[in-house]
Amino acid sequence: MLVKNRLLIPGPSQVPPEVNAAMARPIIGHRSGDFAKFHEELAKKLKQIFQTENEVVILTGSGTAAMEASVSSVVNPGDEVLCIVTGKFGERFAELAKVYGANVTVVEAKWGETYDLDTVTKLIQEKKFKLVCATHNETSTGVTNNIPALGDLCRKYDALLLVDAVSSMGGMDIKTDEWNVDLMVSGSQKAFMLPPGLSFVSISPKALEVINNNDSTNYYLSLKKAKKSQDKWSTPYTPNVSLFYALDEACNMILKEGLDTVFMRHKLLAEACQEAVKALGLNLLAKEEISSYTVTAFTGNVDTEAVRSLLKKKFGFAVAGGQDSLKGKIIRIGHMGYMDFADLFGVIAALELCLKEVGYPVELGKGVGAAMDVFYRGGRD
Ligand SMILES: *Cc1c(COP(=O)(O)O)cnc(C)c1O
């Protein structure tokens, strides 16, 4: 029987045919006037999606490249850095800051929960931090963390705020400037619906001043060089021009659909997915109030790995499992970027059939019915 492959992991995500086609355009030199003109226009579109007046630099490299570029461009050995860790990607910031010699203070939340604001507030009041690192959307657990509260604290106590929005920018309403985020990082292969290989950082004037006065030990991942080149609409080294074309097309698609519509679609997909999971008697890993709009993680009294492999084999749906301590215990469905309701109804229907096959009690249609209900009513109560 024919089975189509459908990529519903929380990144890389599905790529629209228009974006794939854009990558077939002829390569141009990155020191040419044509590239400069194109780059300048592209940066304007990216700034709209980031909701920022700050410059957004585009790096050739996956999301972690932008994370490392940010940390290494700001941190000197011995600097005090606060890392808010709510899962795998929060840990990455702490590891990076340590690699570059920072004195790292870690605030940890149980996986599936968000950070405790009182604890963070106390720490920031007690100690002068140069940099605070946080994850907006923790892809490993499906939790969205409160960033505006951190922005207020960092403004008040004069720390730079670095935020990882790799799996949420382009799908969720992120107000970079209003939230006072100095360095906002994202990547290509999540809600931006691009192939992997590009990452982005918006740089506030305050962050730029620190970066320009820093003796950083980086070379390829220097934000100082990236920003200096960008001032002439160039890049320090050869960029992935094909992915720049793809980014341009993806930005056009996002802006044409309209940011508000894109954000509403992601919210509705998330609500529909969460309601389906609950209707099937499965358990959401994160409470609804802190649930991500781009990825849903759930567990249940069932062999999740067996369900996952059946989903792939019988229906071609690739969904993710858990990482580290959650390995083998959860399923994560990505609903970001180039994803519509037919995709969601499909994966929930397939999930029900696979659950039934491994012996989990399912009344067929119950999950997909709950998802349809959210779609029909335009939201849940
Ligand atoms: C995917 C992701 C990253 C970046 O990972 P790469 O593999 O380097 O692209 C960083 N943070 C979060 C929250 C992510 O989801």
Side-chain angles (χ1 to χ4, degrees):
M1 238 197 297
L2 170 71
V3 171
K4 295 189 191 174
N5 283 319
R6 295 178 173 91
L7 194 58
L8 264 63
I9 58 176
S13 65
Q14 304 181 82
V15 176
E18 296 92 321
V19 169
N20 275 325
M23 287 189 291
R25 290 185 215 153
I27 300 292
I28 56 173
H30 59 289
R31 306 270 178 246
S32 67
D34 285 348
F35 183 82
K37 220 157 79 192
F38 164 73
H39 191 186
E40 185 175 358
E41 289 307 309
L42 175 57
K44 279 185 202 151
K45 297 172 191 173
L46 210 45
K47 283 167 73 160
Q48 284 183 58
I49 296 169
F50 272 64
Q51 302 188 57
T52 185
E53 295 299 320
N54 298 333
E55 223 43 76
V56 183
V57 299
I58 307 169
L59 306 176
T60 292
S62 77
T64 308
M67 292 169 78
E68 180 156 359
S70 301
V71 170
S72 66
S73 296
V74 166
V75 167
N76 286 330
D79 285 343
E80 296 293 342
V81 174
L82 177 63
C83 292
I84 294 163
V85 176
T86 60
K88 178 95 184 156
F89 291 101
E91 282 176 357
R92 189 165 296 180
F93 266 144
E95 286 164 9
L96 275 166
K98 277 179 202 152
V99 162
Y100 287 94
N103 283 337
V104 180
T105 304
V106 171
V107 181
E108 238 172 321
K110 210 173 135 220
W111 284 35
E113 294 177 6
T114 188
Y115 69 90
D116 180 54
L117 183 58
D118 290 339
T119 309
V120 172
T121 306
K122 265 201 205 94
L123 278 166
I124 294 185
Q125 283 169 344
E126 278 162 14
K127 201 190 253 178
K128 173 95 182 84
F129 290 102
K130 182 181 195 183
L131 179 69
V132 175
C133 303
T135 317
H136 175 242
N137 193 65
E138 183 45 79
T139 322
S140 61
T141 63
V143 166
T144 298
N145 292 307
N146 178 348
I147 299 302
L150 297 176
D152 287 344
L153 278 174
C154 288
R155 182 186 291 136
K156 199 160 161 203
Y157 294 96
D158 196 30
L160 290 177
L161 179 58
L162 164 57
V163 172
D164 168 355
V166 173
S167 64
S168 46
M169 185 66 75
M172 292 174 70
D173 189 5
I174 297 175
K175 300 186 189 311
T176 301
D177 292 354
E178 205 178 302
W179 296 359
N180 195 41
V181 178
D182 295 291
L183 295 151
M184 182 69 92
V185 165
S186 196
S188 57
Q189 80 276 21
K190 309 276 170 91
F192 272 99
M193 52 193 188
L194 296 162
L198 290 184
S199 51
F200 324 115
V201 194
S202 72
I203 309 172
S204 74
K206 198 169 127 199
L208 190 64
E209 202 182 310
V210 172
I211 289 165
N212 282 338
N213 294 315
N214 232 19
D215 298 318
S216 299
T217 50
N218 53 22
Y219 189 90
Y220 188 73
L221 293 175
S222 164
L223 286 185
K224 193 195 288 190
K225 284 186 219 160
K227 177 64 176 63
K228 201 167 159 231
S229 292
Q230 181 139 325
D231 290 343
K232 295 170 284 172
W233 300 113
S234 186
T235 56
Y237 314 105
T238 313
N240 188 325
V241 174
S242 305
L243 281 176
F244 274 56
Y245 291 146
L247 174 63
D248 187 54
E249 184 60 37
C251 288
N252 288 344
M253 288 177 73
I254 289 170
L255 295 173
K256 187 170 171 221
E257 185 177 347
L259 285 180
D260 288 343
T261 311
V262 170
F263 300 152
M264 180 53 72
R265 171 166 56 84
H266 282 82
K267 180 170 187 279
L268 279 182
L269 285 168
E271 288 183 355
C273 191
Q274 289 164 22
E275 290 305 310
V277 164
K278 287 195 291 180
L280 293 170
L282 302 163
N283 310 310
L284 294 167
L285 183 67
K287 285 204 194 100
E288 274 161 44
E289 312 87 78
I290 56 167
S291 277
S292 162
Y293 292 164
T294 58
V295 53
T296 297
F298 58 92
T299 127
N301 192 14
V302 63
D303 181 348
T304 52
E305 287 304 285
V307 172
R308 232 159 51 79
S309 87
L310 270 179
L311 268 172
K312 182 70 180 61
K313 195 170 123 210
K314 296 199 111 171
F315 298 100
F317 280 113
V319 299
Q323 293 165 293
D324 295 349
S325 62
L326 291 174
K327 209 175 171 81
K329 295 186 184 152
I330 60 167
I331 292 178
R332 290 176 301 147
I333 297 179
H335 30 80
M336 55 178 76
Y338 193 55
M339 167 103 185
D340 66 5
F341 276 88
D343 285 332
L344 186 73
F345 297 153
V347 73
I348 299 296
L351 174 66
E352 292 185 23
L353 288 162
C354 296
L355 284 167
K356 205 172 176 71
E357 184 159 339
V358 301
Y360 181 89
V362 173
E363 191 189 313
L364 289 181
K366 215 161 171 202
V368 86
M372 287 163 73
D373 199 47
V374 171
F375 177 76
Y376 179 72
R377 289 188 299 141
R380 70 176 159 212
D381 300 324

